[in-house]
Amino acid sequence: MAAVPEEARGLPPPPLVNKMSAWLGGAGWLAALLANGFSQRPLLTAGVHRQVLFTTVGWFAGYFLAKRTEYVHARKDREMFEYVRHHPEDFKTAGKKRIGELLEDFIPIR
């Protein structure tokens, strides 16, 4: 099974700058810095191309993970709304109540 199935194409794409992409991009950059540190090279100046590559891979992994997450949530929402539509007797709407009926009477305690 692919990471994102064909039926997910009907969903709007997530924004390119999202929380998951930023976190995984930062994790990729941190992984490149750790690789530099473990091999006893200067952290920020050595292997800049590797830092850019790891950050980019993390960013796109986060984008596709966000896309998959949105698909899973949309599928669950669709199944839940379909169940509610087929079983309306289980989800009756309550009548409207006034705010005075919801609140208890105020009795000051001294």
Side-chain angles (χ1 to χ4, degrees):
M1 183 175 147
V4 181
E6 288 294 320
E7 64 182 356
R9 287 187 176 195
L11 295 174
L16 283 177
V17 179
N18 58 46
K19 195 182 334 181
M20 206 170 300
S21 291
W23 274 103
L24 287 179
W29 184 61
L30 185 64
L33 293 182
L34 285 174
N36 282 344
F38 286 138
S39 59
Q40 296 184 352
R41 288 182 278 195
L43 288 181
L44 294 174
T45 57
V48 176
H49 62 284
R50 201 174 333 109
Q51 293 177 22
V52 171
L53 175 69
F54 283 18
T55 304
T56 305
V57 168
W59 192 275
F60 283 107
Y63 175 78
F64 283 107
L65 196 59
K67 197 173 190 178
R68 169 107 177 123
T69 303
E70 285 185 10
Y71 164 71
V72 167
H73 289 136
R75 190 183 67 204
K76 284 186 179 185
D77 286 347
R78 182 185 65 202
E79 291 170 359
M80 180 184 61
F81 287 131
E82 192 69 18
Y83 182 82
V84 169
R85 190 171 64 87
H86 286 302
H87 300 89
E89 64 277 357
D90 294 339
F91 303 96
K92 295 178 183 170
T93 57
K96 288 190 174 186
K97 292 184 179 180
R98 298 185 63 175
I99 193 74
E101 296 171 358
L102 295 175
L103 299 176
E104 297 177 3
D105 292 335
F106 177 71
I107 302 172
I109 299 174
R110 296 196 178 208

